[in-house]
Amino acid sequence: MGVTCVTQVPLAEGKSIQQTVEILTRKLEQLGAEKQGTFYVDCETYHTAGTNVGSTGQSGKLLYIMHCSEYPLSTFALFENGPCLVADQNLDVMMIKLKGFFQNAKANKMETRGTRYQYCDFLVKIGTVTMGQSGRGISVEVDYCPCAVPGDCWNLMVEFMQSFMGSHAPTVPPVFSSKHDALYTPADTMVQYMELLNKIRKHQQGTVTGMRL
């Protein structure tokens, strides 16, 4: 892999999630990008036993267990604002045995799935983010394959993203701030996905709370 940027794209005015995805993929194909299969990223939330996700005054830490089709033999364990552990799939079995300490908040499971595109040295993945059975948003991942140092290729990545995302091209991801001259790793991509999915989840929970008031 190279250097990766993960971002959310808002819905086009008057369009649905699927229609906005089609607009983005059409722009990519017009540039000359070719389909290269599909992808997925999923994220399960675990909370300290005895606490509830989103509860007022919760003091327990949340743990996120993530999987990615690009790394089918790996499982990523992340604490929000904390370290990222990369392990094999035995970690999933271990989490079942640790249910006395961490409980799976199954209702909060999120994933993004979609199509991979190759354009010259760029790999682009446009996915539909779902929570349960409902679409919640759109994720875009752009990977510049030849480079492994964010500071050496960010300007080029922005220029490419603007070519099909326009004004919605993102600013520098927070994870890049500590990686400007350091080598980029797969864990950095999963941190970005965790932040994106949490942002969408919290927005959804806020919307539901607002409707109940």
Side-chain angles (χ1 to χ4, degrees), residues 7-30 35 37-39 111-117 124-130 135-141 164-165 168:
T7 188
Q8 181 183 5
V9 174
L11 300 186
E13 186 175 357
K15 302 295 183 181
S16 66
I17 290 177
Q18 184 58 39
Q19 289 171 328
T20 303
V21 168
E22 290 173 355
I23 291 172
L24 289 170
T25 56
R26 192 179 308 123
K27 288 181 179 180
L28 273 176
E29 290 171 356
Q30 289 173 347
K35 290 183 180 180
T38 60
F39 82 98
E111 66 177 20
T112 180
R113 291 178 178 268
T115 305
R116 301 164 82 252
Y117 285 88
V124 183
K125 302 169 193 170
I126 299 178
T128 299
V129 178
T130 58
R136 301 302 186 191
I138 300 169
S139 68
V140 174
E141 175 187 333
F164 70 96
M165 295 171 63
H168 298 304

Side-chain angles (χ1 to χ4, degrees), residues 6 55 66 181 194:
V6 178
S55 63
M66 304 182 68
D181 294 315
M194 179 194 70

Side-chain angles (χ1 to χ4, degrees), residues 7 10 12 41 50 55 65 69 73 82 117 122 125 131 133 145 159 174:
T7 188
V41 174
S55 63
I65 301 297
S69 55
L73 300 180
Y117 285 88
F122 291 96
K125 302 169 193 170
M131 185 173 178
Q133 299 298 317
C145 302
E159 184 177 342

Side-chain angles (χ1 to χ4, degrees), residues 47-53 55 58-62 103:
H47 58 85
T48 306
T51 62
N52 295 313
V53 175
S55 63
Q58 176 182 324
S59 59
K61 268 195 170 185
L62 297 180
Q103 297 178 350

